[in-house]
């Protein structure tokens, strides 16, 4: 098994059957060998640095109905809110003082956030904080919209493909959503010059190892700058409420595999990973992750951006999250990096 890890590290090229063995391997020794290799590769390119992204959750309204998600349209128990432009600028201001140089505006697909509203908002964030990157994570929009947002100053876009298997995609997303459109959006974003992030959930209902291999193969084709993966976690008001959450060790193996396949990618240790295990994000960092995304949303709305049950960090002020994460990063021997942290683009 260690031979497969070495092969993956030296060339990135391994067969589907080898990937399957690695993904399914339960041996703690192999997991440790994989981890060690992923950490070495990460340190080769990024040293001990961990980049910070300040997450601003701008809306819990969503027109989509993804079966796994707590803010899906049909969840009548969901608490809906949207931040005003002044509130979003306030979050960025606060984040800037705390040392953040990337702001991620994330939300459900909310028609209220038109291009007419977002473009001046993005320009204003960039005007006030010219040394910062603006990342958007607002779901599927038209090419024209992505173009206008880019022209207004947006630098990056996060849009997980969620699963690269057509059939599984349909089991997780009712019509009119489609994998085809998801992929189209991702290629459009790349074409428009965004630094693009994609990714998938680990352990969603009906997911097999073959599906995970398809996810890795799709990422090889897309070549995103950032890759976000995290365990699926059930939400009480969804059809998947009684399903099991994705496994910690499987997620960690996949993170390490991603680091070996995509040596220079920016890979976050996600909040979902920190939710399924108290030290999940620290373990993520040790398995190849080099980004964390602390929450800058106003405390009053935090609990309402309720994608899955038990989400951590919903009670603390931004400043507390910042200190807490810095301590967690240091506790495993890494260091916080205060800079925009753009992707090293070796893909061109
Ligand atoms: N509307 C935006 C943002 C979605 S929320 C978009 O479409 O990209 C960000 C991510 O949270 C999603 O891409 C999904 O992968 C993840 N997510 C949603 N529900 C989840 C759940 N129940 N468990 C774990 N992750 C979830």
């Amino acid at each position: 098994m260690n031979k497969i890890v070495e092969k993956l590290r030296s060339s990135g090229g391994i067969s589907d059957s080898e990937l399957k063995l690695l993904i399914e391997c339960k041996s703690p020794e192999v997991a440790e060998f994989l981890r060690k290799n992923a950490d070495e590769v990460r340190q080769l390119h990024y040293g001990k640095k961990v980049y910070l992204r300040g997450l601003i959750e701008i809306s819990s309204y969503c027109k989509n109905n993804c079966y796994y998600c707590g803010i899906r349209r049909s969840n009548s128990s969901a608490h809906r809110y949207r931040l005003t432009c002044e509130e979003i600028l306030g979050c960025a201001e606060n984040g800037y003082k705390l040392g953040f140089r990337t702001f991620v505006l994330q939300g459900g697909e909310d028609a209220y956030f038109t291009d007419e509203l977002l473009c001046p908002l993005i320009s204003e964030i960039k005007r006030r904080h010219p040394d910062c990157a603006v990342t958007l994570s607002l779901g599927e929009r038209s090419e024209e919209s992505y173009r206008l947002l880019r022209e207004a100053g947006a630098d990056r876009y996060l849009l997980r493909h969620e699963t690269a298997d057509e059939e599984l995609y349909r089991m997780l997303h009712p019509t009119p959503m489609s994998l085809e459109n998801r992929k189209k959006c991702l290629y459009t974003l790349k074409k428009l010059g965004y630094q693009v992030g994609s990714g998938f959930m680990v352990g969603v209902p009906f997911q097999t190892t073959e599906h995970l291999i398809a996810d890795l193969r799709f990422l090889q084709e897309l070549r995103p700058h950032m890759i976000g993966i995290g365990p699926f976690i059930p939400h009480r008001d969804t059809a998947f409420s009684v399903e099991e959450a994705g496994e910690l060790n499987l997620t960690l193996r996949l993170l390490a595999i991603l680091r070996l396949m995509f040596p220079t990618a920016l890979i976050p240790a996600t909040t979902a990973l920190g939710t399924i295990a108290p030290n999940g994000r620290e373990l993520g960092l040790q398995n190849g992750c080099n980004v964390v995304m602390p929450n800058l949303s106003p405390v009053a709305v935090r609990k309402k951006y309720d994608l899955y049950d038990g989400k951590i960090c919903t009670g603390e002020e931004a400043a507390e999250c910042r200190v807490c994460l810095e301590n967690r990063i240091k506790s495993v021997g890494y260091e916080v990096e205060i800079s925009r942290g753009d992707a090293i683009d070796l893909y061109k």
Side-chain angles (χ1 to χ4, degrees):
M1 199 62 77
N2 287 359
K3 285 256 169 345
I4 300 181
V5 175
E6 277 158 7
K7 193 167 160 195
L8 185 59
R9 176 171 176 174
S10 62
S11 70
I14 70 173
S15 68
D16 285 1
S17 53
E18 288 170 321
L19 264 180
K20 185 175 165 76
L21 287 172
L22 205 52
I23 292 171
E24 292 180 351
C25 181
K26 295 256 171 13
S27 148
E29 290 77 30
V30 174
E32 176 53 22
F33 188 68
L34 188 56
R35 189 204 68 72
K36 196 173 130 282
N37 275 274
D39 191 46
E40 281 170 19
V41 169
R42 161 253 167 64
Q43 292 205 33
L44 206 62
H45 296 284
Y46 289 102
K48 297 272 187 189
K49 289 176 191 163
V50 177
Y51 297 98
L52 295 181
R53 314 316 193 185
L55 185 64
I56 308 173
E57 297 155 334
I58 67 172
S59 175
S60 68
Y61 285 89
C62 192
K63 73 173 166 63
N64 290 332
N65 229 347
C66 310
Y67 293 121
Y68 47 82
C69 183
I71 62 167
R72 63 198 302 269
R73 181 185 70 230
S74 298
N75 181 8
S76 55
S77 311
H79 298 279
R80 308 290 176 179
Y81 74 91
R82 48 176 75 98
L83 299 183
T84 63
C85 289
E86 287 64 40
E87 285 173 312
I88 295 167
L89 287 166
C91 292
E93 186 64 48
N94 188 21
Y96 191 85
K97 290 193 191 120
L98 292 168
F100 291 94
R101 295 297 177 267
T102 293
F103 304 115
V104 183
L105 274 46
Q106 186 179 86
E109 288 192 24
D110 179 0
Y112 174 85
F113 283 94
T114 56
D115 301 333
E116 291 70 34
L117 185 150
L118 283 169
C119 288
L121 173 65
I122 293 164
S123 304
E124 184 60 15
I125 298 176
K126 297 288 287 195
R127 193 188 66 78
R128 294 193 191 180
H129 309 291
D131 52 341
C132 291
V134 170
T135 305
L136 302 177
S137 179
L138 301 171
E140 298 172 25
R141 303 175 75 95
S142 66
E143 172 160 357
E144 173 69 358
S145 169
Y146 287 147
R147 194 175 56 74
L148 293 171
L149 300 174
R150 175 93 183 101
E151 284 166 7
D155 303 278
R156 309 178 187 145
Y157 207 101
L158 305 179
L159 185 74
R160 291 183 176 178
H161 65 277
E162 311 294 0
T163 173
D165 182 85
E166 292 276 358
E167 198 185 342
L168 182 59
Y169 193 93
R170 281 195 297 274
M171 291 166 91
L172 302 177
H173 308 93
T175 49
M177 291 185 82
S178 73
L179 179 58
E180 188 189 359
N181 195 53
R182 201 81 180 168
K183 286 185 176 177
K184 192 172 128 236
C185 288
L186 284 162
Y187 285 107
T188 300
L189 289 163
K190 276 199 94 176
K191 185 180 78 183
L192 293 169
Y194 283 92
Q195 290 172 42
V196 171
S198 196
F200 55 92
M201 279 177 289
V202 179
V204 281
F206 318 114
Q207 189 180 53
T208 63
T209 305
E210 282 65 31
H211 294 139
L212 292 168
I213 294 171
D215 289 323
L216 298 175
R217 296 303 184 205
F218 171 66
L219 291 171
Q220 282 184 315
E221 183 190 302
L222 177 68
R223 306 204 296 181
H225 306 85
M226 304 164 280
I227 302 174
I229 70 163
F232 157 77
I233 301 173
H235 184 286
R236 62 202 172 282
D237 298 324
T238 65
F240 294 158
S241 61
V242 297
E243 302 290 336
E244 302 239 328
E247 276 173 52
L248 174 67
N249 288 329
L250 173 60
T251 310
L252 296 175
R253 284 200 297 283
L254 284 162
L255 284 168
I257 291 170
L258 284 170
R259 173 54 66 206
L260 296 180
M261 284 180 123
F262 304 92
T264 60
L266 291 152
I267 304 179
T270 56
T271 306
L273 188 57
T275 298
I276 59 161
N279 60 341
R281 285 166 301 176
E282 291 87 327
L283 290 168
L285 294 174
Q286 292 173 309
N287 279 274
C289 294
N290 59 345
V291 173
V292 290
M293 300 175 68
N295 204 318
L296 290 179
S297 308
V299 174
V301 305
R302 292 254 185 120
K303 284 196 168 52
K304 300 181 186 171
Y305 196 75
D306 187 17
L307 307 181
Y308 49 80
D309 288 344
K311 190 171 163 222
I312 53 168
C313 309
T314 55
E316 290 103 51
E317 289 291 343
E320 295 172 79
C321 280
R322 168 75 171 78
V323 173
C324 164
L325 266 167
E326 175 145 15
N327 288 335
R328 286 171 185 272
I329 290 165
K330 285 183 181 156
S331 77
V332 279
Y334 300 96
E335 61 204 37
V336 170
E337 168 69 12
I338 306 283
S339 70
R340 275 174 50 133
D342 287 296
I344 308 175
D345 199 352
L346 297 183
Y347 292 143
K348 281 170 201 161

